[in-house]
Amino acid sequence: MRIAEELGLRVSPRLRVVALTGAGISLESGVPIFRGEGSMWEIPEARRLASRAGPPWNTRGTWEYYEWRRGLVSRCKPNPAHYALAEMEEYFEDFCLITQNVDGLHSRAGSRRVLELHGSMWRGRCLECGRVIELPETPLKALPPLCACGRPLRPDVVQFGEPIDPAVLSSALAACRSAELFLVVGTSAVVYPAAQMPLIAIESGARAVEINPNPTPLTPFMSLSIRGRAAESLPRLWKELLSSASA
Ligand code: NAD
């Protein structure tokens, strides 16, 4: 049976679709994940640098760690899973991409509207005046980089225990409540509030599909679980949905 049929969905540009992505979608691009096999903590340099990063996050130590990560990501390219989501945004009239990733690979793949729950490693934020500044170049000329007001910037990344930008969060939650199809790709689903989002969508009536080589706490709630790698499974799912589309 076709997947759309199995899910009880009629695929058309009017279907309301939300995708939530996590570090797993970028693993095949070469960006290490946070937990499990292929994690950043298997790299001694990452462990050493991360141990010197910390509050107030506008320090040289923090930026040395982020410059290491930014340098790594700058050498990576988006993979077919990132591109599939960019194509979905073009096709569906009401499509929302929510990511926990801070690597910017969705935008590099052509996604135009990305709700970055945890911010971006390609921006800095001033603790003093609140300015947010794009920092696309790596390596940076000075560590820490400075704000226009002269104070050191911190990475515009939400650290554990910090609140998510309320505007980003409320847009994401509104999309979850109106989704008809919810895709969960490459997240261990242990970081909140992201982990709650698929459940909110399911409670509101969405059909949910997970793509992950490993089971997660969300797996029992899914309409369909695809045990596979994002770069292979997501384009395949997208092709399959498109082939059952009605005009
Ligand atoms: P996580 O590291 O906790 O979990 C990664 C998940 O990806 C796991 O469930 C794993 O089974 C799955 N996975 C592994 N290979 C995969 C593949 N090829 N295809 C699909 N899935 C695969 O990541 P998380 O749930 O996103 O939470 C980690 C937190 O760390 C997030 O808050 C995020 O901001 C941050 N983080 C971001 C990046 C990034 O920007 N690329 C990288 C590491 C961590």
Side-chain angles (χ1 to χ4, degrees), residues 56-59 62-63 123-127 135 145 152-159 162:
W57 304 106
N58 59 357
T59 58
T62 293
W63 278 102
R123 296 190 300 262
R125 180 157 47 86
C126 182
L127 292 172
L135 298 170
L153 295 167
R154 61 166 277 176
D156 190 25
V157 169
V158 178
Q159 307 292 341
E162 292 183 338

PDB file of all heavy atoms in Angstrom, residues 56-59 62-63 123-127 135 145 152-159 162:
ATOM      1  N   PRO A  56      29.579  33.470  30.976  1.00  0.00           N
ATOM      2  CA  PRO A  56      28.447  34.139  30.309  1.00  0.00           C
ATOM      3  C   PRO A  56      28.445  33.963  28.787  1.00  0.00           C
ATOM      4  O   PRO A  56      27.713  34.663  28.097  1.00  0.00           O
ATOM      5  CB  PRO A  56      28.623  35.609  30.687  1.00  0.00           C
ATOM      6  CG  PRO A  56      30.113  35.768  30.834  1.00  0.00           C
ATOM      7  CD  PRO A  56      30.641  34.452  31.344  1.00  0.00           C
ATOM      8  N   TRP A  57      29.196  33.045  28.249  1.00  0.00           N
ATOM      9  CA  TRP A  57      29.187  32.640  26.843  1.00  0.00           C
ATOM     10  C   TRP A  57      29.751  33.683  25.869  1.00  0.00           C
ATOM     11  O   TRP A  57      29.711  33.483  24.667  1.00  0.00           O
ATOM     12  CB  TRP A  57      27.769  32.252  26.375  1.00  0.00           C
ATOM     13  CG  TRP A  57      27.139  31.180  27.202  1.00  0.00           C
ATOM     14  CD1 TRP A  57      26.139  31.334  28.108  1.00  0.00           C
ATOM     15  CD2 TRP A  57      27.480  29.777  27.222  1.00  0.00           C
ATOM     16  NE1 TRP A  57      25.833  30.125  28.690  1.00  0.00           N
ATOM     17  CE2 TRP A  57      26.630  29.160  28.163  1.00  0.00           C
ATOM     18  CE3 TRP A  57      28.418  28.989  26.536  1.00  0.00           C
ATOM     19  CZ2 TRP A  57      26.685  27.802  28.446  1.00  0.00           C
ATOM     20  CZ3 TRP A  57      28.470  27.638  26.821  1.00  0.00           C
ATOM     21  CH2 TRP A  57      27.610  27.068  27.765  1.00  0.00           C
ATOM     22  N   ASN A  58      30.265  34.800  26.389  1.00  0.00           N
ATOM     23  CA  ASN A  58      30.852  35.794  25.469  1.00  0.00           C
ATOM     24  C   ASN A  58      32.371  35.819  25.627  1.00  0.00           C
ATOM     25  O   ASN A  58      33.027  36.806  25.348  1.00  0.00           O
ATOM     26  CB  ASN A  58      30.250  37.192  25.702  1.00  0.00           C
ATOM     27  CG  ASN A  58      30.479  37.675  27.124  1.00  0.00           C
ATOM     28  OD1 ASN A  58      31.035  36.948  27.945  1.00  0.00           O
ATOM     29  ND2 ASN A  58      30.048  38.889  27.410  1.00  0.00           N
ATOM     30  N   THR A  59      32.911  34.692  26.075  1.00  0.00           N
ATOM     31  CA  THR A  59      34.333  34.617  26.387  1.00  0.00           C
ATOM     32  C   THR A  59      35.137  34.055  25.202  1.00  0.00           C
ATOM     33  O   THR A  59      34.581  33.410  24.310  1.00  0.00           O
ATOM     34  CB  THR A  59      34.554  33.670  27.575  1.00  0.00           C
ATOM     35  OG1 THR A  59      34.014  32.393  27.202  1.00  0.00           O
ATOM     36  CG2 THR A  59      33.842  34.162  28.831  1.00  0.00           C
ATOM     37  N   THR A  62      34.674  30.199  24.959  1.00  0.00           N
ATOM     38  CA  THR A  62      33.443  29.780  24.270  1.00  0.00           C
ATOM     39  C   THR A  62      33.626  29.891  22.765  1.00  0.00           C
ATOM     40  O   THR A  62      33.263  28.980  22.011  1.00  0.00           O
ATOM     41  CB  THR A  62      32.251  30.659  24.713  1.00  0.00           C
ATOM     42  OG1 THR A  62      31.987  30.391  26.088  1.00  0.00           O
ATOM     43  CG2 THR A  62      31.008  30.372  23.884  1.00  0.00           C
ATOM     44  N   TRP A  63      34.215  31.012  22.322  1.00  0.00           N
ATOM     45  CA  TRP A  63      34.352  31.229  20.877  1.00  0.00           C
ATOM     46  C   TRP A  63      35.373  30.293  20.257  1.00  0.00           C
ATOM     47  O   TRP A  63      35.255  29.936  19.080  1.00  0.00           O
ATOM     48  CB  TRP A  63      34.667  32.699  20.580  1.00  0.00           C
ATOM     49  CG  TRP A  63      33.403  33.503  20.590  1.00  0.00           C
ATOM     50  CD1 TRP A  63      32.953  34.317  21.597  1.00  0.00           C
ATOM     51  CD2 TRP A  63      32.392  33.526  19.580  1.00  0.00           C
ATOM     52  NE1 TRP A  63      31.727  34.851  21.271  1.00  0.00           N
ATOM     53  CE2 TRP A  63      31.362  34.386  20.042  1.00  0.00           C
ATOM     54  CE3 TRP A  63      32.247  32.915  18.341  1.00  0.00           C
ATOM     55  CZ2 TRP A  63      30.214  34.640  19.285  1.00  0.00           C
ATOM     56  CZ3 TRP A  63      31.104  33.173  17.592  1.00  0.00           C
ATOM     57  CH2 TRP A  63      30.105  34.023  18.073  1.00  0.00           C
ATOM     58  N   ARG A 123      25.509  33.367  13.998  1.00  0.00           N
ATOM     59  CA  ARG A 123      25.164  34.699  14.502  1.00  0.00           C
ATOM     60  C   ARG A 123      25.748  34.887  15.895  1.00  0.00           C
ATOM     61  O   ARG A 123      25.956  33.917  16.629  1.00  0.00           O
ATOM     62  CB  ARG A 123      23.632  34.855  14.630  1.00  0.00           C
ATOM     63  CG  ARG A 123      22.855  34.795  13.334  1.00  0.00           C
ATOM     64  CD  ARG A 123      21.391  35.201  13.563  1.00  0.00           C
ATOM     65  NE  ARG A 123      20.712  34.330  14.508  1.00  0.00           N
ATOM     66  CZ  ARG A 123      19.936  33.319  14.165  1.00  0.00           C
ATOM     67  NH1 ARG A 123      19.717  33.048  12.893  1.00  0.00           N
ATOM     68  NH2 ARG A 123      19.361  32.582  15.082  1.00  0.00           N
ATOM     69  N   GLY A 124      25.980  36.172  16.239  1.00  0.00           N
ATOM     70  CA  GLY A 124      26.382  36.505  17.608  1.00  0.00           C
ATOM     71  C   GLY A 124      25.327  37.420  18.201  1.00  0.00           C
ATOM     72  O   GLY A 124      24.567  38.060  17.483  1.00  0.00           O
ATOM     73  N   ARG A 125      25.276  37.423  19.533  1.00  0.00           N
ATOM     74  CA  ARG A 125      24.285  38.277  20.216  1.00  0.00           C
ATOM     75  C   ARG A 125      24.985  39.023  21.337  1.00  0.00           C
ATOM     76  O   ARG A 125      25.830  38.460  22.044  1.00  0.00           O
ATOM     77  CB  ARG A 125      23.159  37.387  20.767  1.00  0.00           C
ATOM     78  CG  ARG A 125      22.078  38.157  21.492  1.00  0.00           C
ATOM     79  CD  ARG A 125      20.767  37.371  21.527  1.00  0.00           C
ATOM     80  NE  ARG A 125      20.916  35.977  21.911  1.00  0.00           N
ATOM     81  CZ  ARG A 125      20.924  35.543  23.166  1.00  0.00           C
ATOM     82  NH1 ARG A 125      20.814  36.398  24.170  1.00  0.00           N
ATOM     83  NH2 ARG A 125      21.042  34.256  23.418  1.00  0.00           N
ATOM     84  N   CYS A 126      24.618  40.304  21.494  1.00  0.00           N
ATOM     85  CA  CYS A 126      25.258  41.127  22.512  1.00  0.00           C
ATOM     86  C   CYS A 126      24.466  41.047  23.815  1.00  0.00           C
ATOM     87  O   CYS A 126      23.249  41.267  23.821  1.00  0.00           O
ATOM     88  CB  CYS A 126      25.339  42.579  22.030  1.00  0.00           C
ATOM     89  SG  CYS A 126      26.186  43.646  23.209  1.00  0.00           S
ATOM     90  N   LEU A 127      25.171  40.740  24.889  1.00  0.00           N
ATOM     91  CA  LEU A 127      24.503  40.640  26.193  1.00  0.00           C
ATOM     92  C   LEU A 127      24.166  42.026  26.717  1.00  0.00           C
ATOM     93  O   LEU A 127      23.325  42.180  27.591  1.00  0.00           O
ATOM     94  CB  LEU A 127      25.436  39.944  27.188  1.00  0.00           C
ATOM     95  CG  LEU A 127      25.713  38.462  26.932  1.00  0.00           C
ATOM     96  CD1 LEU A 127      26.790  37.942  27.873  1.00  0.00           C
ATOM     97  CD2 LEU A 127      24.429  37.653  27.096  1.00  0.00           C
ATOM     98  N   LEU A 135      27.427  36.434  11.524  1.00  0.00           N
ATOM     99  CA  LEU A 135      28.883  36.188  11.531  1.00  0.00           C
ATOM    100  C   LEU A 135      29.190  35.033  10.571  1.00  0.00           C
ATOM    101  O   LEU A 135      29.533  33.922  10.997  1.00  0.00           O
ATOM    102  CB  LEU A 135      29.356  35.824  12.948  1.00  0.00           C
ATOM    103  CG  LEU A 135      29.168  36.874  14.044  1.00  0.00           C
ATOM    104  CD1 LEU A 135      29.456  36.274  15.420  1.00  0.00           C
ATOM    105  CD2 LEU A 135      30.081  38.070  13.802  1.00  0.00           C
ATOM    106  N   PRO A 145      34.345  37.944  19.042  1.00  0.00           N
ATOM    107  CA  PRO A 145      33.969  39.025  18.130  1.00  0.00           C
ATOM    108  C   PRO A 145      33.236  40.116  18.913  1.00  0.00           C
ATOM    109  O   PRO A 145      32.621  39.824  19.946  1.00  0.00           O
ATOM    110  CB  PRO A 145      33.034  38.339  17.137  1.00  0.00           C
ATOM    111  CG  PRO A 145      32.519  37.143  17.851  1.00  0.00           C
ATOM    112  CD  PRO A 145      33.572  36.710  18.823  1.00  0.00           C
ATOM    113  N   PRO A 152      31.783  42.320  23.918  1.00  0.00           N
ATOM    114  CA  PRO A 152      31.934  41.006  23.283  1.00  0.00           C
ATOM    115  C   PRO A 152      30.583  40.341  23.025  1.00  0.00           C
ATOM    116  O   PRO A 152      29.680  40.445  23.857  1.00  0.00           O
ATOM    117  CB  PRO A 152      32.747  40.201  24.305  1.00  0.00           C
ATOM    118  CG  PRO A 152      32.619  40.928  25.593  1.00  0.00           C
ATOM    119  CD  PRO A 152      32.288  42.356  25.306  1.00  0.00           C
ATOM    120  N   LEU A 153      30.467  39.687  21.866  1.00  0.00           N
ATOM    121  CA  LEU A 153      29.237  38.957  21.539  1.00  0.00           C
ATOM    122  C   LEU A 153      29.305  37.554  22.118  1.00  0.00           C
ATOM    123  O   LEU A 153      30.396  37.012  22.341  1.00  0.00           O
ATOM    124  CB  LEU A 153      29.108  38.830  20.018  1.00  0.00           C
ATOM    125  CG  LEU A 153      28.926  40.122  19.221  1.00  0.00           C
ATOM    126  CD1 LEU A 153      29.144  39.849  17.726  1.00  0.00           C
ATOM    127  CD2 LEU A 153      27.545  40.703  19.460  1.00  0.00           C
ATOM    128  N   ARG A 154      28.167  36.939  22.303  1.00  0.00           N
ATOM    129  CA  ARG A 154      28.094  35.507  22.592  1.00  0.00           C
ATOM    130  C   ARG A 154      27.509  34.822  21.353  1.00  0.00           C
ATOM    131  O   ARG A 154      26.835  35.487  20.556  1.00  0.00           O
ATOM    132  CB  ARG A 154      27.229  35.199  23.829  1.00  0.00           C
ATOM    133  CG  ARG A 154      25.789  35.626  23.694  1.00  0.00           C
ATOM    134  CD  ARG A 154      24.912  35.009  24.770  1.00  0.00           C
ATOM    135  NE  ARG A 154      24.509  33.647  24.387  1.00  0.00           N
ATOM    136  CZ  ARG A 154      23.802  32.826  25.152  1.00  0.00           C
ATOM    137  NH1 ARG A 154      23.414  33.209  26.348  1.00  0.00           N
ATOM    138  NH2 ARG A 154      23.475  31.632  24.754  1.00  0.00           N
ATOM    139  N   PRO A 155      27.731  33.523  21.170  1.00  0.00           N
ATOM    140  CA  PRO A 155      27.063  32.846  20.061  1.00  0.00           C
ATOM    141  C   PRO A 155      25.545  32.939  20.272  1.00  0.00           C
ATOM    142  O   PRO A 155      25.066  32.820  21.407  1.00  0.00           O
ATOM    143  CB  PRO A 155      27.543  31.394  20.170  1.00  0.00           C
ATOM    144  CG  PRO A 155      28.774  31.454  21.010  1.00  0.00           C
ATOM    145  CD  PRO A 155      28.607  32.610  21.941  1.00  0.00           C
ATOM    146  N   ASP A 156      24.784  33.159  19.202  1.00  0.00           N
ATOM    147  CA  ASP A 156      23.324  33.263  19.303  1.00  0.00           C
ATOM    148  C   ASP A 156      22.721  31.861  19.310  1.00  0.00           C
ATOM    149  O   ASP A 156      21.925  31.494  18.438  1.00  0.00           O
ATOM    150  CB  ASP A 156      22.778  34.102  18.139  1.00  0.00           C
ATOM    151  CG  ASP A 156      21.299  34.441  18.328  1.00  0.00           C
ATOM    152  OD1 ASP A 156      20.850  34.466  19.499  1.00  0.00           O
ATOM    153  OD2 ASP A 156      20.608  34.665  17.316  1.00  0.00           O
ATOM    154  N   VAL A 157      23.162  31.087  20.291  1.00  0.00           N
ATOM    155  CA  VAL A 157      22.753  29.687  20.410  1.00  0.00           C
ATOM    156  C   VAL A 157      22.141  29.502  21.798  1.00  0.00           C
ATOM    157  O   VAL A 157      22.691  29.992  22.786  1.00  0.00           O
ATOM    158  CB  VAL A 157      23.985  28.759  20.232  1.00  0.00           C
ATOM    159  CG1 VAL A 157      23.657  27.337  20.623  1.00  0.00           C
ATOM    160  CG2 VAL A 157      24.488  28.816  18.796  1.00  0.00           C
ATOM    161  N   VAL A 158      20.997  28.815  21.830  1.00  0.00           N
ATOM    162  CA  VAL A 158      20.323  28.564  23.111  1.00  0.00           C
ATOM    163  C   VAL A 158      21.055  27.440  23.833  1.00  0.00           C
ATOM    164  O   VAL A 158      21.173  26.328  23.317  1.00  0.00           O
ATOM    165  CB  VAL A 158      18.840  28.170  22.855  1.00  0.00           C
ATOM    166  CG1 VAL A 158      18.131  27.844  24.157  1.00  0.00           C
ATOM    167  CG2 VAL A 158      18.120  29.279  22.097  1.00  0.00           C
ATOM    168  N   GLN A 159      21.580  27.738  25.011  1.00  0.00           N
ATOM    169  CA  GLN A 159      22.293  26.726  25.786  1.00  0.00           C
ATOM    170  C   GLN A 159      21.292  25.991  26.687  1.00  0.00           C
ATOM    171  O   GLN A 159      20.191  26.496  26.932  1.00  0.00           O
ATOM    172  CB  GLN A 159      23.388  27.386  26.644  1.00  0.00           C
ATOM    173  CG  GLN A 159      24.343  28.266  25.860  1.00  0.00           C
ATOM    174  CD  GLN A 159      25.241  27.490  24.896  1.00  0.00           C
ATOM    175  OE1 GLN A 159      25.412  26.283  25.031  1.00  0.00           O
ATOM    176  NE2 GLN A 159      25.809  28.189  23.919  1.00  0.00           N
ATOM    177  N   GLU A 162      18.400  27.507  28.958  1.00  0.00           N
ATOM    178  CA  GLU A 162      18.023  28.858  28.543  1.00  0.00           C
ATOM    179  C   GLU A 162      16.700  28.819  27.779  1.00  0.00           C
ATOM    180  O   GLU A 162      16.379  27.815  27.127  1.00  0.00           O
ATOM    181  CB  GLU A 162      19.108  29.461  27.647  1.00  0.00           C
ATOM    182  CG  GLU A 162      20.391  29.738  28.399  1.00  0.00           C
ATOM    183  CD  GLU A 162      21.450  30.403  27.522  1.00  0.00           C
ATOM    184  OE1 GLU A 162      21.374  30.288  26.276  1.00  0.00           O
ATOM    185  OE2 GLU A 162      22.345  31.022  28.078  1.00  0.00           O
TER     186      GLU A 162
END
